[in-house]
Amino acid sequence: MIPFLDLQAPYLDLKQPINDAVSRVLTSGWYVLGPEVEAFEAEFADYCGVDHCVGVANGLDALILALRALEVGPGDEVIVPSNTYIATWLAVSTVGATPVPVEPDPTTYNIDPTRIEAAMTSRTKVLLPVHIYGQPADLDPILALAKRYGVRVVEDAAQSHGARFKGQRIGGHGDIVCWSFYPGKNLGGMGDAGAITTHVAKLADRVAMLRNYGSREKYVHEAQGVNSRLDPLQAAVLRVKLQVLDEWTERRRAIAAVYSDALSGTNLVLPYVPKWADPAWHLYVVRSQRRDALQADLKESGIATLIHYPIPPHRQQAYAGHSVAQEVLPLADQLAGEVLSLPMGPHLSPEQAKQVVEAVKRLA
């Protein structure tokens, strides 16, 4: 059986340095925030080419705290993609604002910048693009719209560690960029973890305050904050993995190239990459009108696949009583019925990639 993603292999590959890093934290006696978290924040900020990084407990909290730092709340609207994981929408709802979905570009599956302006109103406060599947969204027109209308840009980069837009790493194009370090991400911890990156010191400072009970000084609380602090153990693991992130991204790119070359003659719709995008290839997503049958056939052949995502946010029970459930979003619905993610990861061997290709060509 070829797994969709081997989560054990990265640890085995880096076993000694990860064990050493964890031991360093355990013997330090410092188990909340502290030097290990500060070191990761500095190193990840440098990697992304930004001035500030603030570690938080998970990717959803990163989004929520980013919106709170921008004072988004009841009565406000936030433009979100219709094609995304529900966390993007949940963050907006959690702060009391309204998610306003915009359909994707049918070639890249990222939010379509040409549709955003028509969805904006006087209550729009934030544009929230997602770099879906590890491919950068088209940021230039989004940033231009934000500047024209005086709104802010929050990027959901949970799948895009190491991706580049026009040669610049994702991490500092918008006002705040939000990250998840869930174990399955390109830069993944050994549990939940997250962060925000930004060039704006005041925003970083506010997120840092909100993540720590609304406190900058012990027992002094200036806002109703939360407990959402990056764990030093996770920070230590992430510091080790950050050192090999670019190498592992290149492995992903090599697998994507094999897939794209070998599957170009099939009935599948393959990923489209604009010239200005350098994806991180978190996922390799194909489309098939017989997706469910293809997935079942591949499983029978020993190839594990996943669907990202089978139910779009506006179809989820979580939004059943929300006006957004009445939205007509045909592209999101179509993608949910056709997308299939093939095995992808830095430890997928060339032999395994060849087996995937042969099985897909036979069955597609």
Side-chain angles (χ1 to χ4, degrees):
M1 187 73 183
I2 296 177
F4 174 75
L5 174 65
D6 187 342
L7 288 178
Q8 186 183 45
Y11 170 65
L12 296 177
D13 193 354
L14 300 172
K15 185 174 182 178
Q16 193 58 55
I18 287 176
N19 286 355
D20 290 344
V22 170
S23 178
R24 182 175 68 241
V25 175
L26 295 178
T27 57
S28 73
W30 202 317
Y31 306 132
V32 177
L33 295 178
E36 201 72 45
V37 172
E38 292 168 4
F40 171 73
E41 289 172 337
E43 289 162 9
F44 192 61
D46 182 67
Y47 178 83
C48 293
V50 297
D51 298 321
H52 308 282
C53 171
V54 180
V56 298
N58 55 70
L60 177 56
D61 281 2
L63 289 164
I64 293 169
L65 292 171
L67 294 173
R68 287 195 60 187
L70 293 171
E71 300 183 338
V72 178
D76 295 327
E77 294 178 349
V78 176
I79 300 294
V80 294
S82 63
N83 177 49
T84 186
Y85 183 56
I86 196 172
T88 314
W89 289 38
L90 291 177
V92 177
S93 301
T94 298
V95 300
T98 300
V100 177
V102 170
E103 289 273 72
D105 180 310
T107 60
T108 66
Y109 315 139
N110 272 308
I111 192 169
D112 187 342
T114 66
R115 296 173 180 261
I116 292 177
E117 189 171 14
M120 297 175 69
T121 71
S122 60
R123 296 193 295 165
T124 301
K125 196 160 185 177
V126 167
L127 309 183
L128 208 172
V130 177
H131 305 297
I132 199 74
Y133 312 147
Q135 171 145 274
D138 191 358
L139 288 170
D140 280 350
I142 294 172
L143 294 169
L145 270 176
K147 183 177 181 180
R148 188 188 318 161
Y149 287 96
V151 301
R152 312 303 284 270
V153 175
V154 174
E155 301 170 55
D156 184 337
Q159 301 180 358
S160 297
H161 315 77
R164 294 177 185 266
F165 174 76
K166 294 189 173 180
Q168 179 183 342
R169 277 204 183 103
I170 296 298
H173 293 85
D175 294 282
I176 302 182
V177 183
C178 301
W179 302 90
S180 168
F181 305 120
Y182 181 78
K185 304 300 185 183
N186 291 35
L187 180 60
M190 297 301 191
D192 278 317
I196 66 96
T197 52
T198 180
H199 285 295
V200 185
K202 290 178 66 174
L203 293 177
D205 181 62
R206 184 158 178 82
V207 170
M209 178 268 293
L210 289 170
R211 75 173 175 182
N212 188 41
Y213 298 98
S215 173
R216 292 185 177 91
E217 179 184 348
K218 194 172 181 67
Y219 300 131
V220 178
H221 305 271
E222 59 191 87
Q224 295 179 9
V226 296
N227 177 8
S228 180
R229 302 174 294 209
L230 176 62
D231 190 293
L233 287 168
Q234 299 300 338
V237 171
L238 291 169
R239 292 182 67 194
V240 173
K241 289 190 172 183
L242 183 59
Q243 297 177 32
V244 297
L245 177 57
D246 284 346
E247 176 190 340
W248 287 5
T249 300
E250 287 304 316
R251 295 187 198 174
R252 289 175 178 271
R253 288 174 178 148
I255 294 165
V258 169
Y259 283 167
S260 293
D261 289 345
L263 300 177
S264 61
T266 67
N267 293 325
L268 300 176
V269 178
L270 303 182
Y272 168 75
V273 180
K275 291 182 179 179
W276 43 258
D278 193 1
W281 293 108
H282 174 61
L283 301 172
Y284 189 93
V285 179
V286 300
R287 288 170 56 194
S288 171
Q289 293 185 355
R290 53 179 300 273
R291 188 269 312 281
D292 293 344
L294 175 59
Q295 184 179 40
D297 290 343
L298 288 171
K299 183 178 180 180
E300 285 292 316
S301 297
I303 310 294
T305 60
L306 289 178
I307 299 170
H308 296 85
Y309 299 96
I311 306 173
H314 73 287
R315 299 289 187 189
Q316 297 282 357
Q317 181 65 29
Y319 286 96
H322 194 289
S323 61
V324 76
Q326 308 304 318
E327 292 270 2
V328 179
L329 301 168
L331 286 175
D333 286 330
Q334 181 182 1
L335 290 174
E338 295 181 357
V339 293
L340 185 67
S341 300
L342 301 182
M344 171 58 75
H347 295 86
L348 188 74
S349 70
E351 293 75 18
Q352 288 175 315
K354 182 179 179 181
Q355 285 181 256
V356 172
V357 163
E358 290 174 349
V360 171
K361 291 177 72 173
R362 184 174 71 252
L363 299 167

